[in-house]
Amino acid sequence: MHSTGTWRLVAGGIALVATIFVLPTALFEVFNGTAEGGTIALFSVGAVLLLGGLSLVITGLRMRSRDLNTARSYDTRQATTQDDDRPIDSHSMPTAARQGQIGGPL
C-alpha cells in the first residue's frame, strides 16, 4: 500500500542518519574555535542535512496523518487482496475442505 508522505519520511530519515555521521566532529571543532575550511564545510553540510531531514520528516508525518484521517468507503479504498478471495463472514468456521487445505484438523 502506497501511503502519502512515505518517500518524505524515508528521505528525511536517511538525511538524519547521515547527520549523525557528518555533524558531531565538525560541530565540536567549530565551537572550540579550531575549525579549518574543510571542517566548516562539513559543519554546513551537517546543518543543512539536519534541517532538511527534520523538515522532510515533519511534512511526511503531516501528509500521512492527513491521509489517514480521511474517511474511507468501499469506493475509495485501496484493494489489498482480491475481493473474491475474502471470506464473507470472517468469524465463521472454515469448511472441512478449507481446513484440510491449510493443514488443520479434518
Side-chain angles (χ1 to χ4, degrees):
M1 184 172 131
H2 175 68
S3 178
T4 306
T6 302
W7 74 268
R8 288 184 185 210
L9 286 171
V10 170
I14 291 171
L16 290 175
V17 168
T19 302
I20 292 171
F21 295 107
V22 173
L23 192 59
T25 304
L27 185 68
F28 178 75
E29 290 185 12
V30 166
F31 283 125
N32 278 342
T34 60
E36 297 176 0
T39 307
I40 293 174
L42 277 177
F43 175 75
S44 302
V45 168
V48 167
L49 281 172
L50 179 64
L51 294 176
L54 286 174
S55 66
L56 282 173
V57 167
I58 289 169
T59 56
L61 287 173
R62 283 190 178 192
M63 289 177 72
R64 178 173 272 190
S65 69
R66 186 181 321 140
D67 182 51
L68 292 176
N69 287 333
T70 56
R72 298 282 193 264
S73 69
Y74 285 106
D75 297 329
T76 60
R77 72 178 174 93
Q78 295 176 350
T80 56
T81 60
Q82 295 288 338
D83 288 336
D84 298 335
D85 293 341
R86 298 180 125 186
I88 294 172
D89 183 11
S90 61
H91 298 290
S92 67
M93 291 294 293
T95 61
R98 186 82 162 168
Q99 287 181 3
Q101 289 175 357
I102 59 175
L106 292 175

